[in-house]
Amino acid sequence: MFFLKLHAKQFLLSTALIPSLALTTTVKVYAASNTEDAFDNAANTFFWDIMDSSPINLHYSFSFPQDYEPSDKPPLGSFSETFTETAEILNRAKENLSTVEYNSLTAKQKQVYQLMKHYIDINLEYCTLPDYTSTLGPMSGILSTLNTTITEYYLLSEQDIINYLDVLRDIPRFLNDVVKEIEHQESIGYMPSLYAFEQALENKDAMTTLENHPYLEAFESNVSETGLSDDVVNDYTKQVETVLNNEVLPAFSSFYETLESKKASASQSKGLAFYDHGQEYYELLVRDNTGTDMTPLELKDYLTDKLTQGLMNLSQSYSHNPNLLNDLDSLTAPKTDADAILQTLNQKAAECMPDIGDTTYTLSYLPEALQVPNNLAYYLSSPLDNESRNIIRINPSEVGDDSMVLWTTMAHEGYPGHLYQHQYFMQNSFEYNIETLIGSLGTSEGWAYYVEKLSLEWAGLDEATADAYFTNMILGMAALSVVDIGVNYEGWGIEETSDFLSTYYGELDKNTCQNFIDTCANDPGVYLPYSVGYYKTEDLFEQMADGYSSDKNMYAAYLKMGSMPFTLLEKYLIPDNSI
């Protein structure tokens, strides 16, 4: 069970990774003196079980984990143990919760109890289904996660550098495990598509050449935080180069040769609907990624209704202003530098959002080898013991030179998006470490898109233009989400995809439709948290509005719940519901 808390903004049409000398601990549940203590033990045991299962979690959860003993597990984990170990952890957590008297808990404990139960139930269901992990998925696959894990491995001390070298030395074994995972999936009839192989192989040159290697570049950037002398840093840099040259690059070369060989027998992309229990897996994926209890077909109807209404609104806007489309294309943001945009957004957010005080962040652009298609940027949340460490990375190949895209992306990732959302929760509601690991992606992405819309007026756009700009963007996300459901749940091919999209975008060529299918089939469900998350957030605020004296108070109530799934948020925040 690996948790690297990335919040990524996706763009479209308009498992275990563990570090070296990974540190871990063992926490046992002792006989508690009362129900509240029993729950605290259950929550803490669950958290530390997760830390122990993938010790790299500890590195990203704590900046200074010196008090824990090194793990004897391989730095980057083992696929062969993942499902068995995950089921054991989940069942232990479920058993511990069963001993708790729910009605005797505090209000906060009841919330965390419900969050834990929701997470445990969904993930135990995954353990009963075939392993349809998107191994080579360009956006959510194992290689993408590996690269982010290595390049974001922060270095605050000399021990961190020693650990980092051990992580690098474990990459050959890990890549061999990836090949075994692909072969296991082949044995159950689930082979990566031709598109997935081609996307993975695009990085071959960058990952097999020392010059400008992203791991080396990241090390040279991150090592400055250690405060070590230039001589010591230079010595460690040479060690990193040696490990890369002698161990990592040959391992990637061998790995890519294997992919080239397997690519020869790969076929076109097809959705989960074509595989045994694939629809069941997708039903679970939908619930997990959206934080709702809606079925795929219910969501399809829901999103189609939103598409229809949105297009009607756009049509009316165009009738009032025939030049609106050109106007939208020519918009520019009041600031064009990412850091200047963040500072401006922070000032604007402070005027209408609950206060979070002074916050800090590190902002940078991704190197070419890590610029994942369709992903504009991501936010890496701060460790539990260092809330000043907030990381935002921008993908320049996707953001391009469009200042409005950069403006909304910084609102999404920074203020008042993910960075703000995380900081407010940590300052005002956080009590249990486990809360930071098991939230709903649909809720967090829903908020980030909701505030993107707010940020457009802060950019000086009038209400009609802001509505048209955002509606045009979110409808593209909704359309791709419907295609995702069609491809993965109903088995759509080019004809069905074309029929659906032509209703909203006019006739599209086969290559464009195939690109949509490739995106959805190789990263199933990846867009659902964004479209569904936004619309459900909008729906929720409409239902909450009458119960609060101001938007600021309403936002505070919402943000205090963290990333709780909508199925629970609706019961806690809507007056007529109860839990």
Side-chain angles (χ1 to χ4, degrees):
M1 301 173 72
F2 170 66
F3 296 81
L4 180 60
K5 296 296 284 185
L6 287 177
H7 302 276
K9 180 182 176 184
Q10 308 295 342
F11 180 76
L12 62 146
L13 178 97
S14 175
T15 342
L17 295 175
I18 307 176
S20 67
L21 277 174
L23 306 171
T24 186
T25 187
T26 301
V27 176
K28 298 180 180 178
V29 177
Y30 298 99
S33 58
N34 56 54
T35 296
E36 292 180 21
D37 288 344
F39 175 76
D40 288 352
N41 279 332
N44 290 331
T45 298
F46 190 25
F47 175 80
W48 287 112
D49 275 351
I50 293 173
M51 292 294 106
D52 189 42
S53 69
S54 295
I56 200 167
N57 292 327
L58 200 64
H59 181 80
Y60 282 101
S61 293
F62 297 99
S63 294
F64 310 102
Q66 295 91 338
D67 296 336
Y68 308 98
E69 296 181 2
S71 170
D72 59 359
K73 296 179 180 179
L76 290 172
S78 173
F79 286 107
S80 62
E81 299 175 1
T82 299
F83 276 87
T84 300
E85 187 174 20
T86 296
E88 290 175 354
I89 291 171
L90 293 168
N91 280 312
R92 181 160 51 250
K94 183 176 182 179
E95 181 180 353
N96 288 341
L97 277 187
S98 71
T99 67
V100 173
E101 177 53 51
Y102 179 78
N103 291 331
S104 299
L105 297 176
T106 67
K108 174 65 177 183
Q109 287 177 323
K110 287 180 179 179
Q111 291 176 10
V112 181
Y113 178 104
Q114 292 291 339
L115 181 62
M116 288 174 60
K117 185 177 183 302
H118 177 271
Y119 178 87
I120 291 165
D121 289 346
I122 281 183
N123 282 276
L124 279 174
E125 285 190 59
Y126 276 123
C127 293
T128 69
L129 293 170
D131 177 11
Y132 291 145
T133 304
S134 182
T135 311
L136 296 183
M139 287 181 283
S140 61
I142 292 168
L143 284 184
S144 173
T145 304
L146 172 66
N147 287 338
T148 304
T149 301
I150 301 298
T151 56
E152 293 295 351
Y153 196 98
Y154 58 80
L155 304 168
L156 303 180
S157 67
E158 190 166 5
Q159 184 61 54
D160 284 339
I161 299 177
I162 295 170
N163 293 351
Y164 180 77
L165 286 165
D166 284 342
V167 173
L168 294 181
R169 292 187 182 102
D170 194 44
I171 287 175
R173 183 203 57 80
F174 180 80
L175 291 176
N176 189 51
D177 261 13
V178 174
V179 172
K180 290 179 180 177
E181 171 71 2
I182 293 172
E183 291 172 346
H184 163 70
Q185 291 184 322
E186 288 176 354
S187 72
I188 61 174
Y190 187 66
M191 182 176 179
S193 70
L194 179 62
Y195 173 85
F197 281 114
E198 289 174 344
Q199 290 293 306
L201 287 163
E202 280 191 0
N203 279 340
K204 178 179 178 179
D205 290 343
M207 299 306 293
T208 56
T209 306
L210 184 62
E211 184 178 3
N212 299 323
H213 196 285
Y215 295 177
L216 180 59
E217 288 186 352
F219 175 82
E220 291 173 337
S221 174
N222 297 340
V223 74
S224 62
E225 291 192 73
T226 62
L228 298 172
S229 68
D230 289 345
D231 288 343
V232 173
V233 168
N234 289 336
D235 180 62
Y236 277 120
T237 301
K238 291 177 182 177
Q239 290 186 49
V240 169
E241 291 176 346
T242 298
V243 173
L244 287 173
N245 256 328
N246 296 345
E247 301 178 51
V248 176
L249 302 189
F252 268 110
S253 294
S254 176
F255 176 73
Y256 283 120
E257 286 177 10
T258 301
L259 294 190
E260 287 279 12
S261 175
K262 290 184 175 297
K263 172 188 168 185
S265 57
S267 58
Q268 290 291 333
S269 305
K270 58 182 181 180
L272 287 167
F274 291 94
Y275 300 97
D276 189 32
H277 297 291
Q279 287 182 313
E280 293 175 61
Y281 187 94
Y282 189 72
E283 288 171 355
L284 186 58
L285 194 65
V286 164
R287 285 166 46 207
D288 188 12
N289 282 5
T290 66
T292 73
D293 57 7
M294 300 172 75
T295 68
L297 295 183
E298 288 172 340
L299 273 182
K300 181 184 174 186
D301 290 341
Y302 175 79
L303 290 171
T304 301
D305 288 344
K306 296 293 186 182
L307 271 168
T308 301
Q309 185 59 53
L311 286 170
M312 288 177 57
N313 294 340
L314 277 180
S315 179
Q316 291 176 357
S317 297
Y318 290 145
S319 68
H320 294 304
N321 178 10
N323 294 320
L324 180 60
L325 190 58
N326 290 332
D327 291 345
L328 295 181
D329 287 339
S330 62
L331 290 174
T332 57
K335 304 285 185 181
T336 57
D337 173 74
D339 190 50
I341 289 173
L342 279 172
Q343 293 181 40
T344 301
L345 289 169
N346 191 17
Q347 294 168 1
K348 295 288 187 180
E351 297 172 5
C352 62
M353 295 280 173
D355 182 47
I356 60 169
D358 295 331
T359 55
T360 59
Y361 56 83
T362 299
L363 176 71
S364 66
Y365 286 83
L366 290 168
E368 185 175 357
L370 301 182
Q371 294 174 17
V372 177
N374 303 319
N375 192 333
L376 277 80
Y378 64 78
Y379 164 67
L380 179 61
S381 57
S382 60
L384 291 166
D385 59 351
N386 185 7
E387 54 184 57
S388 67
R389 188 179 182 81
N390 298 283
I391 308 296
I392 296 176
R393 307 293 189 208
I394 302 170
N395 183 350
S397 65
E398 294 294 336
V399 172
D401 57 2
D402 189 325
S403 65
M404 286 304 301
V405 171
L406 185 60
W407 178 275
T408 56
T409 298
M410 292 301 93
H412 185 111
E413 304 297 346
Y415 306 101
H418 292 312
L419 189 160
Y420 171 91
Q421 180 185 28
H422 174 74
Q423 288 296 323
Y424 185 88
F425 173 74
M426 297 301 291
Q427 294 175 24
N428 293 277
S429 185
F430 166 77
E431 289 186 23
Y432 292 92
N433 290 341
I434 192 64
E435 295 178 85
T436 63
L437 298 184
I438 60 174
S440 169
L441 188 59
T443 304
S444 60
E445 294 301 340
W447 168 263
Y449 268 103
Y450 181 85
V451 298
E452 272 195 50
K453 186 176 182 180
L454 295 182
S455 78
L456 292 171
E457 293 190 27
W458 302 348
L461 276 62
D462 61 77
E463 184 177 354
T465 303
D467 283 345
Y469 183 94
F470 184 80
T471 299
N472 192 50
M473 183 277 298
I474 199 66
L475 289 185
M477 191 72 72
L480 188 52
S481 296
V482 174
V483 173
D484 191 284
I485 295 169
V487 168
N488 288 295
Y489 196 71
E490 298 182 282
W492 284 8
I494 289 180
E495 182 177 349
E496 295 89 348
T497 302
S498 177
D499 288 344
F500 168 75
L501 291 174
S502 64
T503 303
Y504 301 98
Y505 294 102
E507 187 171 349
L508 299 175
D509 61 65
K510 288 187 177 181
N511 286 338
T512 300
C513 292
Q514 184 61 51
N515 287 339
F516 274 79
I517 293 171
D518 286 336
T519 297
C520 296
N522 290 283
D523 286 289
V526 74
Y527 284 105
L528 296 179
Y530 304 91
S531 58
V532 177
Y534 165 71
Y535 287 121
K536 294 296 287 185
T537 300
E538 185 181 52
D539 291 347
L540 182 62
F541 284 145
E542 288 178 0
Q543 296 175 76
M544 291 173 62
D546 292 340
Y548 295 87
S549 59
S550 67
D551 285 350
K552 181 179 288 190
N553 290 339
M554 180 176 69
Y555 295 149
Y558 175 89
L559 291 163
K560 285 179 181 177
M561 305 304 291
S563 297
M564 187 172 283
F566 290 108
T567 51
L568 297 176
L569 279 178
E570 291 164 354
K571 294 176 181 178
Y572 280 112
L573 296 177
I574 298 175
D576 293 337
N577 294 341
S578 61
I579 193 166

